[in-house]
Amino acid sequence: MSEAQAASGLDAATAARRLLDEGPNELGVSQRRGLRDMAWDVVTEPMFLLLLGAGAIYLAMGDAQEALILLGFVIIIMGLTVLQERRSDQALTALRDLSSPRARVLRDGVALRIAGREVVREDVLMLAEGDRVPADGLLLETHELATDESMLSGESEPVAKRSEGDAVFAGTLVVGGQGLVRVTAVGRQTELGRIGQSLQQIGLQGSPLRDEMSRLTRRLLWIGMALCLLLVGLLWALRGDALQALLAGITLAMGVLPQELPVIMIVFLALAARRLAVRQVLTRRLNAIETLGQTTVLCVDKTGTLTHNRMAVATLVAGDAELDVTALPAGALPEPFHALLEYAVLASEIAPHDPMEQAFHQLAGQQLAHTEHFLHPQWTLAREYELSPELLAMSHLWRSAAPAVPHDVVASKGAPEAVMALCHLSEARREQLAAQAARLADRGLRVLAVARGRHARDAEWPALQHDFDFEWLGLVGLADPLRPEVPAAVMQCQRAGIRVVMVTGDHPRTARAIAEQAGIASARVLSGDEVQSLDAGALAAALREVSVFARVKPQQKLALVEALKAQGEVVAMTGDGVNDAPALKAAHIGIAMGQRGTDVAREAASLVLLQDDFTSIVSAIADGRRTFANLRQAMVYTLAVHVPIVGLALLPALFGLPLLLAPLHIAFLELVIAPTCSLVFEAEAGAADLMTQPPRRSGDALLARRHVLLSLLQGGLVTALSVGLYVWVLGLDLAQGSANTVAFIALVTANAALILPSRSARSGWRHMWQGLTPAGIWVLSGTLLALTLITTLPPLSQAFGFAALPPALWGASVAAGLAMIAAFQLAKQLLGRGAAEPLVSGPLPAP
């Protein structure tokens, strides 16, 4: 591009043609899925296929009513899943719209403000402080330009852009100065886009719970098929009625197959996602909720996650005197520190965007507002000396409007060693000041030095800062303060058996100091270069000891996550920058910061914090544990409910009695009663000690052998009651169907009563009645109401094949079912408290 073209920029026609040919300036790395993809994922789950298969079986039998009931539940489940994902994606779209940058470009010699997506290659961008760079490019002109590239490099320090030809990168923030840039790459071709594209090679983490549920479903499927074939063959051989045998076999198979499991799991996860949304945690993938409870390592960034991501002056050092200014009242700054603060402000921009310079101005406004200092209207900025890689210091030359003032004032600030060089200090003095700076750095402070000088008004300005005669004024320590809630949250994680690991791009001394304040183990800090030099074995050994990693590059973050996963850890990773996105996607649970996070980070994450609050991560983990504990209790209950269904389908056929259950009965029991009752478990608050137990091991089964034994024992008691009443009423002189009605009433009532002892992990009698939620009361009441309607209203009772019962017998049947509470509690005590342990399962293998 020629100088003339650079001065005028692209013409509108060329820009429009290039936008059409090369596409908009967008990354195109969205991880969002369309409605078709979401629906396909749902219907290909083994558990949902069972629902479809069951509906097809009923339809083949000519029972369209039962088929429609089952297929209706398929539609409901698909709707819940798709609705949840669509709501999350809509929220992400809103975040993306808010964060979409605007660009100021030269077109036909006129400066225009356009959408960032409309920037094309060869455009000339005009950058100023506070702008988000919309594309990669090379500098044509620059004036004290500095950019924050932490989203790419992890480094929190601004990067000075001095010479023409220096590169700027899409997504970075201009924190100082101005510049003119020729765009060299847009969209996927930018550095940001290449990192985003690398996400396509990283597969999303699967759901351990869904995998386990699928395995359990397949086992029960094979058991159901085997029992079905056995029963069909046995009845056909004994009775010679093939159709009756097939009907009994299908009924038994439907009793064994857990059609309600997908309903229960989706309801639990969807309601958990809703609770997290109230706490400003957006769930992008539902399986992250159950995985949260298994988290063993939480990898967190420092800047903005543990800290506020804003600078504040913490300490001033003038001579040998050190002053903590964090709690200093307004106007109380001691006189020896006035010059230090005054010249720190004079060495900064007048209207700064840089957080450190903003901190200087803020403190000066509090402490120097009523003093005579050099921020006086008669002083004007006459010359700036920029920061450079060769000299990490910048100087401002100020001139008074009053002709009588014989000299100009020079203020300089920068890295301590650079300002020492400007002041031409002795070696001994340098060592003394370096020790002061090191002490501040060890406290996690960012340290800058300040110097002042004078220059004769009538003398020519020197070309280099070194040619001024500077006087050392002192050191300024700036803090990115730790969030006050972080230490308590870290301690809570540690009590819960979760190791917190800091992974940051900042200096090791700063990382160590912040880790100590947060309560993270910091005896040893490992740098990114050291991580890079370790082989797999040495890295694994280091990961068992080290919890603070500093100066970490993007690829090293991903390597750390993969190494932790290889050790069997369940890893949650927080981040906000583009450099965090690969690690976010590779982690079991990626947690992106919604307020300051990049689009790529949010797309890669499983959870998005709409408020950047570290404590909400801990709350989400606690909610994940609660969800899993309640889900386990619901599964124990559901398995117990299945036992009498199988018994009532199998025993009458084996003993030559009329069939008790029809397909409609089983559909009512499994797809209405069981999921509805399971809502009681979802609403439970969970045990008070959930966050003091170690995480559930990833290899542990959802239902251990003791859980299965408890379910079988409790379900066996219900089976004995129902079958006993059925046989007894068959011998009475009552209307046909009375025995079915009595047995069904006792079965449903006992299943409802089983909820009470199953809610709590404790085996004491008083715990059975404590903490019953409004949802539990409504569900229990609704269950008994539904039972009353289908057994007393003629249209409904006839559809179910029930007969009208005398009121005394109806009441006795209900009472018999409720009386099972005592037997259930005794069975629970017999097998011990561990049978209902909510979180930590033992080493016994899965059934």
Side-chain angles (χ1 to χ4, degrees):
M1 177 178 283
S2 65
E3 287 190 23
Q5 290 174 315
S8 61
L10 289 179
D11 61 89
T14 301
R17 184 172 60 253
R18 194 160 288 173
L19 181 63
L20 183 64
D21 293 342
E22 301 181 5
N25 179 32
E26 295 176 331
L27 299 183
V29 295
S30 174
Q31 301 292 311
R32 292 181 297 163
R33 299 178 296 162
L35 286 172
R36 184 179 63 182
D37 296 330
M38 295 177 187
W40 179 250
D41 283 350
V42 172
V43 300
T44 53
E45 284 280 347
M47 294 177 291
F48 295 96
L49 290 175
L50 285 174
L51 282 174
L52 293 172
I57 291 173
Y58 281 130
L59 198 59
M61 293 176 57
D63 293 329
Q65 185 177 10
E66 289 82 355
L68 290 175
I69 291 174
L70 291 175
L71 295 177
F73 273 97
V74 173
I75 295 172
I76 292 172
I77 295 165
M78 290 178 61
L80 280 172
T81 306
V82 172
L83 178 62
Q84 173 63 32
E85 295 205 25
R86 290 290 292 176
R87 287 180 63 186
S88 297
D89 281 338
Q90 288 168 3
L92 285 172
T93 299
L95 284 171
R96 183 180 300 104
D97 292 341
L98 288 174
S99 62
S100 178
R102 306 285 291 177
R104 194 162 177 243
V105 300
L106 281 173
R107 296 271 176 88
D108 293 317
V110 179
L112 303 174
R113 180 73 70 176
I114 64 173
R117 69 185 304 274
E118 297 175 7
V119 171
V120 298
R121 190 170 48 81
E122 297 292 328
D123 252 330
V124 176
L125 302 174
M126 304 172 68
L127 299 180
E129 289 185 57
D131 287 347
R132 181 76 66 177
V133 181
D136 287 2
L138 298 177
L139 285 165
L140 301 174
E141 296 178 13
T142 176
H143 178 68
E144 292 193 348
L145 184 70
T147 59
D148 177 0
E149 298 181 356
S150 60
M151 63 178 297
L152 290 171
S153 66
E155 290 278 1
S156 60
E157 299 180 12
V159 179
K161 305 290 183 179
R162 182 183 182 188
S163 60
E164 295 181 9
D166 279 0
V168 294
F169 303 100
T172 59
L173 182 67
V174 179
V175 296
Q178 299 85 37
L180 205 63
V181 176
R182 177 175 61 86
V183 174
T184 57
V186 296
R188 298 188 181 191
Q189 305 306 314
T190 63
E191 188 68 24
L192 184 151
R194 282 193 288 272
I195 295 176
Q197 290 298 312
S198 70
L199 299 178
Q200 306 292 354
Q201 280 71 52
I202 303 175
L204 292 173
Q205 292 298 310
S207 166
L209 181 59
R210 292 195 181 197
D211 294 343
E212 187 171 349
M213 198 83 79
S214 297
R215 289 194 296 270
L216 176 62
T217 302
R218 285 193 294 269
R219 291 171 186 168
L220 293 176
L221 173 63
W222 286 109
I223 293 173
M225 291 177 60
L227 289 176
C228 175
L229 293 175
L230 179 63
L231 183 61
V232 169
L234 183 62
L235 289 182
W236 195 356
L238 294 177
R239 302 187 183 183
D241 188 340
L243 184 59
Q244 189 74 9
L246 183 60
L247 178 60
I250 291 176
T251 303
L252 175 61
M254 292 302 301
V256 175
L257 298 183
Q259 291 97 332
E260 68 273 54
L261 291 186
V263 180
I264 295 171
M265 188 173 70
I266 289 297
V267 167
F268 269 58
L269 296 181
L271 291 179
R274 182 178 177 182
R275 278 198 307 272
L276 291 177
V278 172
R279 299 176 185 173
Q280 300 296 297
V281 180
L282 176 67
T283 304
R284 296 202 65 245
R285 283 181 277 278
L286 286 179
N287 64 281
I289 295 174
E290 52 93 2
T291 312
L292 274 169
Q294 294 179 268
T295 301
T296 59
V297 175
L298 175 58
C299 296
V300 296
D301 190 18
K302 177 189 77 67
T303 305
T305 304
L306 300 178
T307 66
H308 285 284
N309 194 27
R310 63 173 184 263
M311 286 291 182
V313 177
T315 303
L316 298 176
V317 179
D320 294 327
E322 182 176 320
L323 178 67
D324 182 357
V325 300
T326 54
L328 196 66
L333 185 70
E335 184 63 33
F337 297 93
H338 277 212
L340 174 61
L341 182 56
E342 289 169 2
Y343 278 86
V345 174
L346 288 172
S348 304
E349 296 295 333
I350 298 173
H353 286 266
D354 181 83
M356 292 182 294
E357 295 187 344
Q358 289 176 341
F360 296 148
H361 277 261
Q362 182 180 5
L363 184 61
Q366 295 170 354
Q367 301 297 335
L368 303 179
H370 305 293
T371 62
E372 287 293 331
H373 62 91
F374 288 116
L375 285 180
H376 194 278
Q378 67 176 342
W379 290 90
T380 58
L381 181 62
R383 173 72 186 270
E384 297 182 69
Y385 292 86
E386 299 177 7
L387 192 80
S388 69
E390 295 77 22
L391 183 65
L392 297 177
M394 60 185 297
S395 298
H396 285 177
L397 188 145
W398 295 81
R399 171 160 291 180
S400 174
V405 178
H407 58 266
D408 298 329
V409 170
V410 186
S412 181
K413 75 176 190 319
E417 58 273 16
V419 178
M420 290 178 202
L422 291 178
C423 294
H424 308 291
L425 301 175
S426 67
E427 188 64 30
R429 181 61 173 155
R430 288 191 184 195
E431 291 179 0
Q432 180 185 6
L433 296 175
Q436 286 182 343
R439 284 195 298 272
L440 296 182
D442 286 338
R443 287 156 48 187
L445 302 178
R446 173 79 186 280
V447 184
L448 294 181
V450 180
R452 68 180 172 188
R454 291 189 176 189
H455 183 71
R457 187 183 182 109
D458 56 355
E460 185 179 353
W461 292 331
L464 301 175
Q465 300 179 68
H466 272 292
D467 295 333
F468 289 108
D469 185 17
F470 281 109
E471 173 193 354
W472 177 272
L473 290 178
L475 298 170
V476 181
L478 298 106
D480 181 5
L482 188 74
R483 294 177 182 267
E485 69 275 8
V486 165
V490 170
M491 184 179 296
Q492 189 174 6
C493 286
Q494 292 167 346
R495 284 200 302 265
I498 302 168
R499 184 160 68 104
V500 180
V501 175
M502 180 196 292
V503 183
T504 179
D506 278 339
H507 191 279
R509 280 184 168 175
T510 304
R512 185 195 300 275
I514 293 296
E516 289 177 351
Q517 296 173 30
I520 300 172
S522 57
R524 182 182 173 193
V525 178
L526 209 60
S527 71
D529 290 339
E530 290 172 314
V531 170
Q532 192 74 27
S533 66
L534 298 177
D535 58 30
L539 179 58
L543 281 172
R544 285 189 284 269
E545 300 175 1
V546 180
S547 295
V548 180
F549 296 86
R551 293 290 194 222
V552 175
K553 298 181 176 65
Q555 64 273 20
Q556 293 161 351
K557 290 187 177 183
L558 178 59
L560 288 173
V561 169
E562 295 290 2
L564 286 167
K565 288 166 57 179
Q567 293 182 353
E569 304 285 2
V570 178
V571 183
M573 168 81 184
T574 70
D576 58 352
V578 175
N579 63 313
D580 296 326
L584 287 175
K585 190 175 180 184
H588 293 96
I589 309 149
I591 306 172
M593 301 302 178
Q595 288 183 317
R596 57 188 170 79
T598 59
D599 286 340
V600 175
R602 291 194 290 263
E603 294 286 0
S606 304
L607 302 176
V608 178
L609 303 185
L610 300 183
Q611 297 292 331
D612 296 350
D613 182 2
F614 181 72
T615 58
S616 61
I617 302 174
V618 183
S619 298
I621 292 174
D623 208 86
R625 290 190 173 194
R626 167 193 168 183
T627 299
F628 178 83
N630 291 343
L631 182 58
R632 169 178 279 174
Q633 294 300 100
M635 292 301 159
V636 172
Y637 167 79
T638 303
L639 184 58
V641 168
H642 266 268
V643 173
I645 295 175
V646 173
L648 294 179
L650 181 63
L651 293 177
L654 291 178
F655 290 99
L657 300 174
L659 293 179
L660 198 161
L661 294 180
L664 182 59
H665 299 141
I666 295 178
F668 178 83
L669 288 169
E670 294 186 353
L671 299 180
V672 177
I673 297 297
T676 303
C677 291
S678 296
L679 290 175
V680 179
F681 298 100
E682 199 287 328
E684 290 296 311
D689 60 349
L690 275 180
M691 286 300 284
T692 60
Q693 299 179 29
R696 182 175 77 101
R697 293 185 295 271
S698 57
D700 286 350
L702 171 64
L703 296 179
R705 187 173 298 169
R706 58 179 175 272
H707 301 119
V708 176
L709 289 176
L710 178 63
S711 296
L712 292 176
L713 180 55
Q714 292 176 331
L717 292 171
V718 179
T719 304
L721 172 69
S722 302
V723 172
L725 288 174
Y726 179 61
V727 173
W728 174 63
V729 176
L730 281 176
L732 300 178
D733 188 18
L734 293 174
Q736 186 178 3
S738 297
N740 298 55
T741 309
V742 169
F744 194 80
I745 290 174
L747 172 64
V748 173
T749 307
N751 285 343
L754 180 58
I755 290 175
L756 293 174
S758 299
R759 290 184 311 112
S760 173
R762 296 175 174 84
S763 57
W765 288 88
R766 64 185 180 89
H767 296 298
M768 183 168 57
W769 307 99
Q770 288 180 343
L772 187 62
T773 62
I777 296 173
W778 278 103
V779 165
L780 289 172
S781 303
T783 300
L784 293 177
L785 176 62
L787 177 63
T788 302
L789 293 177
I790 67 171
T791 55
T792 58
L793 290 182
L796 293 177
S797 62
Q798 290 172 8
F800 278 83
F802 294 147
L805 295 179
L809 184 57
W810 193 95
S813 302
V814 172
L818 295 177
M820 294 298 295
I821 292 177
F824 296 147
Q825 188 67 13
L826 288 173
K828 188 175 177 182
Q829 290 181 332
L830 178 65
L831 290 180
R833 180 180 182 276
E837 188 68 31
L839 182 64
V840 184
S841 62
L844 293 173

